[in-house]
Amino acid sequence: MTTTYTSYQLISSDLQTSLKRVSEQPDVKRETEYYLEKIGDVKSIDDFFADTRLYNYVMKAHGLEDMAYAKAFMRKVLTEGVDNKDAFANQLTDTRYKALAESLNFARHGEVATLMESAQKGMVDKYTRQTLEISAGEDNTGVRLALYFERMAPSITSGYSIIADDAIAQVVRTALQLPAEFAATDIDRQAAYYEDVLKLDEFKDPSKVGKFLERFTSMWELENPTGGVDSLSTFQPSGLIGISTDLLLSINNLKLGGR
């Protein structure tokens, strides 16, 4: 049986070929062609939400498919953008919301937001990479986690940025052989521990990330000999600072045209 590390390496070592293969899949190609054909005609947030197909493409590109139902919530993210430190997206620990608001930055660019590189090729690249990772996870969750960590590693700047992302945290805990219960301990102590035992600057070095993922995949094999666990909860959007479930639902029920 192919090991987790070997499967990860087969994809990562020739990533461009892997991505090209995904982009040529009929369903991916069809959705991408539609997106590129239509997105440039979108001049406002209202236009964007009016096309469910475009909306779903963008949400998947940012790993936020599970939040697709919360259109009013997402409208607030896009309306406020990211330039103000008090903007809604900046208050959420899950950085995927901020990334989406930067990719489709109506708050900054107005009606030309969809003509920007980040909303055109940048969005397609994100969608393709996300599809690749999801597909890899269907066979082995550890491979998806490794690919995700590889992509996100340069953004790890503190122990808190590890804690804020469930998938990154799972990779780190597995590599360090920490029990699942560690995630329930005091957040400040967790962050301090990560910063003490890890050289976070090394996560900006692809070769060091590769070594770390070799360690992770070895430990993953020992803990998950069949190759996977239920990854849905790991990759679900999370980490909403000060946002209770009731408030989230209230935001989504606002009459902001986000139906």
Side-chain angles (χ1 to χ4, degrees):
M1 190 173 94
T2 305
T3 66
T4 301
Y5 184 69
T6 300
S7 297
Y8 157 69
Q9 276 288 91
L10 284 172
I11 297 172
S12 179
S13 62
D14 194 359
L15 186 59
Q16 292 309 309
T17 297
S18 299
L19 290 169
K20 186 174 186 296
R21 188 180 303 117
V22 169
S23 70
E24 292 173 348
Q25 293 174 2
D27 56 334
V28 175
K29 186 176 181 180
R30 181 171 58 250
E31 291 307 306
T32 295
E33 287 176 347
Y34 179 86
Y35 178 82
L36 291 175
E37 179 185 350
K38 300 292 185 180
I39 192 62
D41 296 330
V42 171
K43 304 301 181 185
S44 68
I45 292 175
D46 285 339
D47 291 346
F48 174 63
F49 279 100
D51 191 321
T52 300
R53 200 167 166 185
L54 290 179
Y55 172 73
N56 287 337
Y57 189 96
V58 170
M59 293 295 282
K60 180 175 180 178
H62 289 84
L64 291 168
E65 290 172 284
D66 291 325
M67 285 295 289
Y69 73 92
K71 287 191 174 182
F73 180 92
M74 296 309 304
R75 180 184 286 271
K76 186 171 177 63
V77 168
L78 287 173
T79 299
E80 297 189 14
V82 295
D83 292 341
N84 189 319
K85 66 180 180 63
D86 295 323
F88 188 53
N90 291 334
Q91 304 307 306
L92 306 175
T93 59
D94 192 325
T95 58
R96 286 176 285 191
Y97 299 102
K98 183 177 179 180
L100 190 153
E102 289 174 334
S103 295
L104 207 56
N105 204 326
F106 288 104
R108 182 186 302 162
H109 301 300
E111 65 178 23
V112 299
T114 60
L115 302 179
M116 298 295 170
E117 177 78 4
S118 61
Q120 296 273 337
K121 184 180 183 299
M123 192 71 72
V124 171
D125 289 346
K126 284 182 170 66
Y127 184 91
T128 306
R129 177 64 187 250
Q130 186 70 23
T131 304
L132 172 66
E133 292 176 12
I134 292 172
S135 177
E138 291 174 355
D139 295 322
N140 187 326
T141 302
V143 178
R144 181 179 179 183
L145 284 165
L147 289 168
Y148 179 81
F149 187 90
E150 177 187 65
R151 173 163 60 89
M152 299 298 293
S155 69
I156 301 173
T157 56
S158 70
Y160 293 104
S161 58
I162 294 174
I163 298 167
D165 189 309
D166 290 341
I168 288 176
Q170 185 171 351
V171 170
V172 173
R173 288 198 307 271
T174 301
L176 298 179
Q177 295 181 273
L178 296 170
E181 292 76 14
F182 182 78
T185 61
D186 179 76
I187 289 177
D188 293 332
R189 292 181 63 185
Q190 287 184 57
Y193 178 80
Y194 288 140
E195 291 173 9
D196 183 50
V197 301
L198 296 170
K199 296 178 180 179
L200 299 182
D201 286 345
E202 291 186 350
F203 288 145
K204 292 179 172 57
D205 182 340
S207 65
K208 298 291 178 58
V209 171
K211 289 291 186 183
F212 188 80
L213 287 175
E214 187 173 358
R215 180 179 176 183
F216 158 72
T217 52
S218 296
M219 294 301 102
W220 178 268
E221 287 281 329
L222 293 176
E223 295 180 11
N224 304 277
T226 59
V229 296
D230 179 10
S231 64
L232 292 178
S233 60
T234 302
F235 288 95
Q236 281 178 345
S238 62
L240 309 183
I241 288 183
I243 305 292
S244 68
T245 302
D246 289 342
L247 179 54
L248 174 58
L249 291 174
S250 295
I251 292 172
N252 192 50
N253 288 329
L254 291 175
K255 299 301 183 181
L256 295 177
R259 295 191 294 274

